[in-house]
Amino acid sequence: MTDHFQQLYEQSDDPWQVRQRWYEQRKRAVLLASLPAPHMRHIFEPACGNGELTAALARQADRITATDLSPAAVQLTRDRLAGAAPGRVSVACQRIPHQWPADALFDLIVISEMAYYLNAAELEQLRQRCIDTLAMDGALLLCHWRHPFADRQQSTESIHGVFDDCPDLHRIARHDESDFLLDVWSRSPRSVAQREGVSP
């Protein structure tokens, strides 16, 4: 799988056209609008690809840690963020969930378009890694394509269901449409309005 993604990013700096396609631009906007707070202390984004989402997230964080299993993708993200957020962005080559940032605590973890490549055991490990490194007031966001494709190991519904079944997490937002599913969980069951004192 590593070789597959490395080859994709060596052939193109945007193999899924996340910059050009309105679908991708719109999905990114929906994702950002679904965050429970306008600013975060520390965001973690595994499977960062070429860094388009990373750049958008970096504008809303004091610090962002991004990883990808492809060295080519890591370099693209480093280049993309080089002048945008000096000293606030760390990008590393890691295979998730087997490797994970050490001794970190995150206010936001974004798992976007990657969990369907994992088998059931790896998905359980991913969930536990997220829980272990999520701050008490932090949020966990998952966003995944819903249609079949060759490398998919699990359906989007079953992936998000694994996180829904966790008693340590409370779903506070969902965006559901035919092409993708987006969910946000937190350790706290409080809604965005409740966090801001708008709702009891």
Side-chain angles (χ1 to χ4, degrees):
M1 187 63 72
T2 303
D3 291 342
H4 170 66
F5 285 110
Q6 179 70 3
Q7 185 177 24
L8 284 175
Y9 282 107
E10 286 176 347
Q11 292 172 348
S12 169
D13 67 353
D14 194 7
W16 286 278
Q17 296 184 310
V18 297
R19 293 190 197 110
Q20 294 91 351
R21 285 183 174 152
W22 170 242
Y23 166 77
E24 294 289 350
Q25 295 171 20
R26 175 180 172 272
K27 183 182 69 174
R28 203 155 46 245
V30 170
L31 187 155
L32 294 169
S34 300
L35 300 183
H39 194 83
M40 308 283 179
R41 294 180 297 271
H42 195 180
I43 295 175
F44 179 41
E45 184 203 4
C48 62
N50 65 3
E52 285 301 306
L53 178 57
T54 318
L57 291 169
R59 291 191 286 271
Q60 297 185 229
D62 294 332
R63 181 182 171 200
I64 184 163
T65 298
T67 67
D68 202 281
L69 56 77
S70 163
V74 167
Q75 190 57 53
L76 286 169
T77 299
R78 285 175 178 162
D79 293 345
R80 176 75 172 78
L81 275 293
R88 298 192 293 112
V89 180
S90 171
V91 189
C93 194
Q94 289 186 329
R95 186 177 182 87
I96 301 296
H98 312 289
Q99 298 170 299
W100 200 264
D103 303 321
L105 197 63
F106 302 108
D107 302 289
L108 175 66
I109 300 173
V110 177
I111 308 292
S112 179
E113 309 297 359
M114 64 84 65
Y116 37 54
Y117 295 111
L118 306 179
N119 61 37
E122 290 170 328
L123 184 62
E124 290 288 344
Q125 185 180 5
L126 174 69
R127 184 180 73 172
Q128 193 58 50
R129 295 273 201 180
C130 290
I131 292 167
D132 290 344
T133 55
L134 189 65
M136 287 306 296
D137 60 345
L140 169 64
L141 186 151
L142 266 68
C143 181
H144 291 94
W145 177 250
R146 302 184 94 157
H147 303 292
F149 62 95
D151 295 324
R152 179 188 283 278
Q153 296 206 41
Q154 301 185 68
S155 72
T156 289
E157 287 71 19
S158 63
I159 291 163
H160 287 229
V162 165
F163 288 82
D164 260 336
D165 290 341
C166 178
D168 294 319
L169 297 173
H170 304 272
R171 177 150 40 92
I172 59 172
R174 166 166 280 200
H175 180 87
D176 184 335
E177 59 181 74
S178 59
D179 293 319
F180 72 93
L181 179 64
L182 184 151
D183 281 306
V184 184
W185 295 269
S186 176
R187 289 184 179 278
S188 169
R190 293 186 304 154
S191 69
V192 174
Q194 287 173 323
R195 292 173 190 224
E196 294 205 327
V198 179
S199 173

